[in-house]
Amino acid sequence: MSGTYLGMPSFPRAARDAVQDVTLRANLRHATHTIRDKRAKAVAELEDWARLREAGKQIKNHTLRHLDRYLEQLEASVTAAGGTVHWAADAAEANRIVADLVKATGQNEVVKVKSMATQEIGLNEALEAEGIAAYETDLAELIVQLGHDRPSHILVPAIHRNRGEIRDIFRKEMGSWGRAAPEGLTEAPADLAEAARLHLREKFLRAKVGVSGANFMVAETGTIVVFESEGNGRMCLTLPETLISVVGIEKVVPTWRDLEVFLQTLPRSSTAERMNPYTSMWTGTADADGPGTFHLVLLDNGRTDSLADEVGRQALRCIRCSACLNVCPVYERAGGHAYGSVYPGPIGAILSPQLRGIQSEIDASLPYASSLCGACYEVCPVAIDIPEVLVHLREKVADQGGKGHRVERAAIKAAGWVLDHPAALAAGEKAAARTRRLHPRTLPGAGPWTAARELPELPAQSFRDWWKKNRTNGKKNRT
Amino acid sequence: MRVALFVTCVNDAVYPATGIATVRLLERLGVEVDFPAGQTCCGQPQYNTGYRRETEPLVRRTAQAFQGYEYVVTPSGSCAAMVREHYPKFGETALPARTYELTEFLVDVLGVTDVGAFFPHTVTYHPTCHGLRALGLGDRPRRLLEAVKGLELRELPVAEECCGFGGTFAVKNADVSAAMGQDKARNALATGADVLCAVDNSCLMHIGGILRRQDAPQRALHIADILACTEEEPLP
Ligand code: SF4
């Protein structure tokens, strides 16, 4: 994934800073609680939600099982419609393909539709290295880009910023990228939106090349689909002469009809809207309508590897609605940056270690970045059992050994022996109870616990002992 | 009726009062209680931390300890969830069908909501994640509490959010865990209740530990400890 995130500290350390950042916590709390309540209402409106959720899961599972077939069908349909398909095994290859395509047009700037795939591969940075400027046109992405920041949410990348911070970023940075912010810009939402509109309009009208991702690709027709709320995406998709779409291979669905499920579940899950405001669909090229040249870059970048993992592969069903982020109590406190990837929150915790492997410190820590409360699974519109995948990935991390895990396994083994010998357990409990007055309030090794909480006081006798004294063989023998 | 009590390792060693309360409560309702001595730990901490191989023998041991019982009752939502949700993944399918979390057993099997308890205090109820989502306990615990004489139930704000315990999560991600627990404790205190109650002592150990650190005037208590109380035998 993106080079921007390399060398990130592990999740617990990155989260510590976020937890202490009062503004960040307040911003996140307000935003996630508002959207999660709205989502719950929007979903409750549909009587057949459970069936839609199951249908979405089945469509995606079926497609993933026959991914090779549907991708070939997609390639044939796109080509027949006048587009060109490129296959990229990894980020570097995808970036090279896009850079070469842009250079071939003679341009040195592109406008971009918000896209997770291009962030995942670090396309903006790669283009910059080739002397090509990539302008984000989604309002929140623009805020992140102008702020020299990183996105912290799938859908609302600037969720960690409040209005005052956004106004300051616009005032300070817009001028160096193009049209400057109006004099005396206030933090009123309408003013901020207008400033962004004027700034972006200049870019839309000038750009010759557009770069997008996609929410879905339809194999039977070769149609690419983008859901968005602002209309900026539609400008990028229709105004430039050349359109380059970079899309993960898991985004294909077999038929046009399959979209009916996701057109209902995605907007309600992500923005709590009954229907998303702009749904753009394009199929190859058409004379005198939209871009004259269309390229589709199909991105693997670790996806076929996670497809090989029977438990983990369900993460590829994800439609990036971000509902799991908004309900996640860990995301709410830690913030998106702590996940060290463009995919934060619960889905990031299972997707990033699968796409990137579990060798790095951050990727090995991500499967533990959850209390396994299950709220993410409950809201997921394609029923990804995120807690199940987390535990599965924990097994891999624990197996791999390394920092802390060797000691941990030894401790768990020792405890396992005791737990397999009830007499030893009873003896241990007795010894602990007998010496309980001697236990210091901060036990060695219990540091992380006692930093914020008191340890429970040990009782004078275990339940086991009470039972032996007061009940035997199920009969009362009160003393 | 005869049931086997699965007291769980945390209750056995740290919260024996909850096990004793469960025994008193069930006996009061005419149930004969057995405590199979071969039981230790359901294996949840090992399993959730990624030690599947080390979990295996504990699954076998637990299943064996409770062989031959029609009902296995446990005062722990998360251990019941471990048995029900994850034991089948180890090929153990008989025990899950016979294992009941305490409130589930009272309401579904015994068919009672008024257990004849007396507890003259204000109480707020925290639905733990495993009780709420994995077991789907729904309003069973609340119905039981509402029927307790003298008890006044107070609504807990943002009740369904995780308290941040999460087993080893509390240690591996101590800062986030503490932040979550502090928010939960703040919400619980805002109710003004004397007691915070739940179906899981592990969550209560975490939230209660935070309350005690703050010298807060609220006590964390397992639901069994409340339901066992009567006018003649109040809270020990
Ligand atoms: S995992 Fe599910 S809830 Fe989370 S973003 Fe993906 S589809 Fe949405």
Side-chain angles (χ1 to χ4, degrees):
Chain A
M1 276 191 219
S2 165
T4 335
Y5 292 101
L6 284 182
M8 290 289 298
S10 67
F11 181 85
R13 260 189 290 138
R16 185 176 310 147
D17 298 337
V19 165
Q20 282 158 5
D21 184 337
V22 183
T23 313
L24 174 70
R25 261 181 83 179
N27 292 352
L28 279 171
R29 194 188 142 72
H30 176 73
T32 55
H33 281 253
T34 309
I35 185 76
R36 79 168 73 155
D37 294 344
K38 281 200 201 157
R39 186 214 73 100
K41 282 201 197 90
V43 163
E45 282 180 358
L46 292 184
E47 268 170 39
D48 58 347
W49 183 259
R51 271 157 49 216
L52 281 168
R53 185 176 187 243
E54 181 61 22
K57 172 183 169 179
Q58 297 298 344
I59 291 168
K60 284 278 184 177
N61 276 352
H62 168 85
T63 317
L64 290 169
R65 254 197 318 273
H66 308 285
L67 194 60
D68 46 351
R69 165 151 59 97
Y70 288 118
L71 287 173
E72 278 172 22
Q73 192 187 1
L74 176 76
E75 180 178 33
S77 315
V78 170
T79 311
T84 310
V85 175
H86 310 260
W87 298 83
D90 56 20
E93 192 175 1
N95 287 333
R96 189 162 4 95
I97 293 170
V98 178
D100 288 348
L101 288 171
V102 177
K103 279 192 210 153
T105 64
Q107 296 295 310
N108 60 7
E109 62 174 31
V110 301
V111 283
K112 286 189 67 206
V113 189
K114 175 176 157 27
S115 140
M116 298 306 297
T118 60
Q119 274 175 25
E120 176 188 321
I121 60 176
L123 179 66
N124 290 8
E125 294 81 3
L127 290 179
E128 197 186 324
E130 301 273 349
I132 300 164
Y135 297 111
E136 294 292 347
T137 65
D138 172 84
L139 177 55
E141 286 294 350
L142 177 72
I143 295 164
V144 168
Q145 192 174 38
L146 289 174
H148 310 286
D149 198 356
R150 279 177 291 113
S152 68
H153 189 278
I154 292 178
L155 197 83
V156 204
I159 195 169
H160 55 295
R161 297 290 196 184
N162 62 32
R163 282 190 253 143
E165 292 174 295
I166 294 168
R167 179 207 48 208
D168 295 344
I169 291 171
F170 279 9
R171 277 191 185 162
K172 198 163 147 250
E173 302 284 346
M174 267 187 173
S176 55
W177 275 89
R179 183 169 173 150
E183 280 295 312
L185 177 65
T186 74
E187 60 174 59
D191 280 4
L192 295 174
E194 180 64 7
R197 215 170 74 87
L198 293 170
H199 178 82
L200 288 171
R201 182 128 314 201
E202 187 199 9
K203 301 248 156 35
F204 290 135
L205 294 174
R206 198 174 67 203
K208 299 278 185 282
V209 183
V211 173
S212 87
N215 295 91
F216 300 97
M217 308 183 284
V218 181
E220 68 172 355
T221 57
T223 305
I224 318 296
V225 188
V226 159
F227 287 33
E228 47 134 0
S229 300
E230 296 171 3
N232 291 346
R234 179 162 294 178
M235 302 251 216
C236 293
L237 296 168
T238 50
L239 291 175
E241 292 165 5
T242 301
L243 174 60
I244 305 166
S245 301
V246 183
V247 190
I249 51 174
E250 83 283 16
K251 298 262 165 151
V252 67
V253 293
T255 69
W256 179 264
R257 173 122 198 231
D258 295 323
L259 294 176
E260 79 174 55
V261 172
F262 303 111
L263 274 160
Q264 297 179 77
T265 53
L266 180 49
R268 283 181 201 258
S269 301
S270 58
T271 48
E273 287 166 308
R274 295 179 176 131
M275 198 178 164
N276 60 296
Y278 293 87
T279 305
S280 299
M281 301 177 166
W282 63 103
T283 309
T285 55
D287 286 339
D289 183 21
T293 311
F294 169 59
H295 295 279
L296 175 62
V297 182
L298 290 173
L299 178 71
D300 185 327
N301 206 30
R303 284 162 175 75
T304 44
D305 289 342
S306 57
L307 199 56
D309 184 322
E310 274 174 44
V311 180
R313 69 167 66 127
Q314 57 185 309
L316 296 179
R317 292 207 296 263
C318 177
I319 56 174
R320 311 278 189 265
C321 71
S322 70
C324 59
L325 278 65
N326 298 329
V327 296
C328 178
V330 175
Y331 173 86
E332 182 190 324
R333 272 84 184 182
H337 291 159
Y339 294 81
S341 124
V342 296
Y343 303 112
I347 181 61
I350 60 168
L351 193 59
S352 306
Q354 291 201 73
L355 296 182
R356 303 190 296 208
I358 49 171
Q359 289 75 37
S360 74
E361 201 190 337
I362 178 80
D363 286 310
S365 73
L366 286 178
Y368 298 93
S370 165
S371 63
L372 303 181
C373 79
C376 49
Y377 177 34
E378 193 176 59
V379 295
C380 178
V382 284
I384 300 171
D385 192 340
I386 295 176
E388 182 187 26
V389 183
L390 286 166
V391 169
H392 172 71
L393 294 173
R394 288 176 186 188
E395 283 168 23
K396 294 191 167 190
V397 174
D399 264 346
Q400 151 182 293
K403 216 178 152 207
H405 292 285
R406 258 188 294 274
V407 182
E408 189 175 85
R409 185 177 286 277
I412 290 220
K413 268 220 170 82
W417 185 87
V418 174
L419 293 172
D420 213 14
H421 296 79
L425 176 64
E429 283 172 354
K430 262 211 183 74
R434 233 182 287 117
T435 57
R436 71 202 174 103
R437 299 273 169 243
L438 308 172
H439 294 173
R441 268 165 56 103
T442 47
L443 285 175
W449 180 273
T450 49
R453 336 160 176 80
E454 295 294 317
L455 283 167
E457 273 171 47
L458 274 188
Q461 68 175 353
S462 68
F463 176 82
R464 222 169 271 274
D465 283 345
W466 175 86
W467 180 270
K468 217 186 260 162
K469 237 179 267 161
N470 297 276
R471 306 277 191 285
T472 31
N473 305 324
K475 280 187 232 69
K476 293 192 187 189
N477 85 36
R478 287 192 191 217
T479 45
Chain B
M1 184 190 291
R2 199 159 142 254
V3 306
L5 171 67
F6 177 27
V7 83
T8 81
C9 57
V10 168
N11 286 329
D12 180 24
V14 189
Y15 297 100
T18 296
I20 297 166
T22 305
V23 173
R24 276 171 51 204
L25 171 65
L26 290 172
E27 287 178 349
R28 194 171 79 214
L29 295 169
V31 177
E32 201 183 311
V33 182
D34 266 8
F35 177 69
Q39 63 176 291
T40 55
C41 167
C42 67
Q44 182 188 199
Q46 297 80 354
Y47 178 73
N48 280 350
T49 315
Y51 295 92
R52 196 193 168 92
R53 259 179 285 137
E54 288 75 2
T55 312
E56 186 110 38
L58 298 177
V59 172
R60 304 272 162 264
R61 158 166 293 283
T62 306
Q64 203 177 14
F66 293 105
Q67 231 166 26
Y69 287 97
E70 194 183 349
Y71 299 105
V72 178
V73 179
T74 179
S76 163
S78 69
C79 301
M82 171 69 192
V83 173
R84 277 248 278 280
E85 244 194 308
H86 302 304
Y87 272 33
K89 293 178 187 162
F90 293 86
E92 178 51 51
T93 48
L95 187 60
R98 296 184 279 116
T99 300
Y100 293 83
E101 183 276 333
L102 176 63
T103 67
E104 211 176 30
F105 178 77
L106 294 173
V107 176
D108 295 1
V109 181
L110 295 187
V112 289
T113 45
D114 185 347
V115 296
F118 175 71
F119 191 74
H121 300 281
T122 47
V123 174
T124 190
Y125 173 69
H126 164 57
T128 62
C129 299
H130 289 121
L132 182 75
R133 282 180 277 266
L135 295 177
L137 291 183
D139 64 353
R140 291 178 185 85
R142 296 178 46 108
R143 277 158 59 203
L144 288 159
L145 289 171
E146 273 161 8
V148 173
K149 234 170 73 191
L151 187 150
E152 186 199 325
L153 197 60
R154 300 252 172 104
E155 231 21 81
L156 177 68
V158 208
E160 302 197 345
E161 190 166 277
C162 176
C163 70
F165 172 60
T168 45
F169 177 76
V171 174
K172 284 185 187 282
N173 281 285
D175 296 281
V176 177
S177 166
M180 288 162 70
Q182 282 153 357
D183 287 349
K184 182 62 77 181
R186 183 167 4 87
N187 284 328
L189 283 171
T191 65
D194 308 328
V195 170
L196 168 71
C197 151
V199 298
D200 248 302
N201 268 332
S202 41
C203 305
L204 290 171
M205 173 169 76
H206 165 69
I207 313 168
I210 290 170
L211 289 169
R212 279 195 291 129
R213 172 62 52 91
Q214 298 171 352
D215 284 323
Q218 190 174 63
R219 188 171 169 192
L221 267 186
H222 194 281
I223 194 166
D225 298 319
I226 293 175
L227 297 180
C229 290
T230 58
E231 248 155 312
E232 299 74 39
E233 282 189 276
L235 199 61

